[in-house]
Amino acid sequence: MTDDTQPQPQQQPYYPPRPPYDPAQPITTEPGTTVWPSGGHVPSGGHVPPPTGPAGPVGAFPAAPTPHRRARRGVGLMAAVALAAAAIGGGTATLVQQWTADGGTSASSAVSGTNVSASSKGTVAGVAQAVSPSIVEISASSNAGKSTGSGVIITGDGEIVTNNHVISGASRISVQTSDGKSYDAKVVGTDPDKDLALIKLEGASGLRTATLGDSSRVRVGDGVVAIGSPEGLTGTVTSGIVSALDRDVTVAKDDGGQDQGQGQQYDPRQGWPFEFGGQQFNGDTGSSKTTYKAIQTDASLNPGNSGGALINMNGEIIGINSAMYSPSSSSGSSAGSVGLGFAIPVNTLKADLDDLRSGGAG
């Protein structure tokens, strides 16, 4: 008997002939990266085998690789477009950055509160170019002779600060600005105790003014620039550092143009007599004298620098040069600077300005 439970023979499935094998082609997205449509990693020169596994239903054909290849190529195209957009975007950002930088430079052409250009900040040349137009040469004539000093323009209509000893007892004061123009000047006020004076030019307007800084912020070792007219050499620029602060400097007070102290006149070739550290320099200070706290500098100062400016590297006035030591040569003339100069702190000047404008204390 035949066992009904035995499996019945089944009809063999029909497999149509496969189409010729067309290996998938790699898609290159960027240098060094290759994507194969099969999703697998195939070494260079390798072969992608046909898919394996159970056969599909009768009459079914394996899925053609073309749709996958098109999809992958679409991804590659999108990646290429993204890379191009990134490159363009980066270039645009670079252009914007350059434009912004250029705009920033032109928009900030000067250091805030000063005449120093931003590109020249911190340089002697930049400070000299910015401040020199605000420094003048002063010639004072009196019965005792003629002396030469310097001054600092503080208002556009010609208010000028200088040392009292530069204009003391003068019967006539003439001033020459950095552009070569000459003006007559009158004394507004003097303060012999601080060796300060204020004069005013006649008929002046539109002058370049100096920026007064803050001498309380000055530190030993700070770079400084001195501008003045030593020996009548208008607009001479020297530089150095702040050597010390709060030096007690004693100078002779003026005597109304008469002889100083013990019958000794001020000789502009030797500089104004002063005392420092218990020693006398440039002659006898006499019996009438005053002492003030000074900024010491090694910037070269010579006779004629008196009343000129000591300037920080931002172009701000931090002191009025007032005393300098120049040892005498055998001929009796000044032998030059030895790096021992002193300036009246600008804060002393600022505190005294109202008094000077009202006639001063002298």
Side-chain angles (χ1 to χ4, degrees):
M1 290 182 66
T2 302
D3 189 352
D4 294 335
T5 62
Q6 292 183 357
Q8 298 297 319
Q10 296 184 7
Q11 183 179 1
Q12 294 295 322
Y14 171 74
Y15 294 98
R18 296 174 179 267
Y21 174 62
D22 181 15
Q25 300 299 315
I27 302 172
T28 302
T29 59
E30 58 179 288
T33 303
T34 303
V35 178
W36 292 84
S38 64
H41 172 70
V42 180
S44 176
H47 173 68
V48 181
T52 59
V58 177
F61 290 92
T66 303
H68 285 287
R69 186 159 59 245
R70 288 176 180 173
R72 293 291 183 181
R73 286 173 180 168
V75 172
L77 179 59
M78 293 175 65
V81 171
L83 290 173
I88 295 172
T92 304
T94 301
L95 289 174
V96 171
Q97 185 179 20
Q98 291 176 349
W99 180 84
T100 304
D102 292 341
T105 300
S106 59
S108 179
S109 59
V111 178
S112 179
T114 73
N115 296 319
V116 180
S117 66
S119 61
S120 299
K121 180 182 178 181
T123 67
V124 174
V127 171
Q129 182 179 15
V131 184
S132 289
S134 302
I135 310 301
V136 300
E137 177 182 315
I138 299 175
S139 297
S141 303
S142 68
N143 295 331
K146 183 178 180 181
S147 64
T148 301
S150 305
V152 180
I153 301 172
I154 60 171
T155 64
D157 61 352
E159 280 190 347
I160 294 174
V161 174
T162 187
N163 286 141
N164 179 63
H165 72 255
V166 170
I167 53 85
S168 174
S171 57
R172 183 176 184 271
I173 301 173
S174 62
V175 173
Q176 180 175 309
T177 55
S178 64
D179 58 4
K181 293 182 179 179
S182 295
Y183 299 86
D184 287 332
K186 299 294 184 182
V187 175
V188 176
T190 63
D191 189 345
D193 287 333
K194 296 182 177 66
D195 197 16
L196 290 171
L198 183 69
I199 63 175
K200 178 74 179 293
L201 303 186
E202 297 179 347
S205 63
L207 301 179
R208 177 81 69 87
T209 62
T211 300
L212 302 183
D214 182 358
S215 51
S216 70
R217 300 173 63 88
V218 176
R219 297 293 180 265
V220 174
D222 286 352
V224 290
V225 175
I227 305 179
S229 301
E231 306 291 354
L233 301 174
T234 305
T236 295
V237 176
T238 58
S239 65
I241 63 169
V242 173
S243 304
L245 298 171
D246 297 324
R247 293 297 201 195
D248 287 326
V249 174
T250 300
V251 298
K253 294 173 67 172
D254 73 285
D255 192 18
Q258 303 300 315
D259 293 350
Q260 299 292 325
Q262 302 171 356
Q264 183 172 328
Q265 291 183 327
Y266 163 52
D267 184 351
R269 297 176 303 166
Q270 300 302 321
W272 186 244
F274 72 98
E275 297 177 12
F276 168 68
Q279 301 182 63
Q280 288 188 340
F281 302 94
N282 306 337
D284 187 2
T285 54
S287 59
S288 178
K289 48 194 174 186
T290 184
T291 301
Y292 56 82
K293 299 289 186 180
I295 299 171
Q296 182 181 333
T297 180
D298 69 348
S300 296
L301 300 179
N302 294 285
N305 274 113
S306 291
L310 189 66
I311 312 155
N312 67 17
M313 300 311 292
N314 287 328
E316 300 167 328
I317 310 300
I318 59 170
I320 302 299
N321 298 321
S322 58
M324 66 289 301
Y325 172 54
S326 297
S328 299
S329 66
S330 58
S331 63
S333 63
S334 173
S337 173
V338 293
L340 188 62
F342 301 93
I344 302 167
V346 73
N347 285 6
T348 300
L349 164 65
K350 291 194 292 186
D352 204 29
L353 264 180
D354 288 341
D355 287 338
L356 290 173
R357 283 171 172 152
S358 63

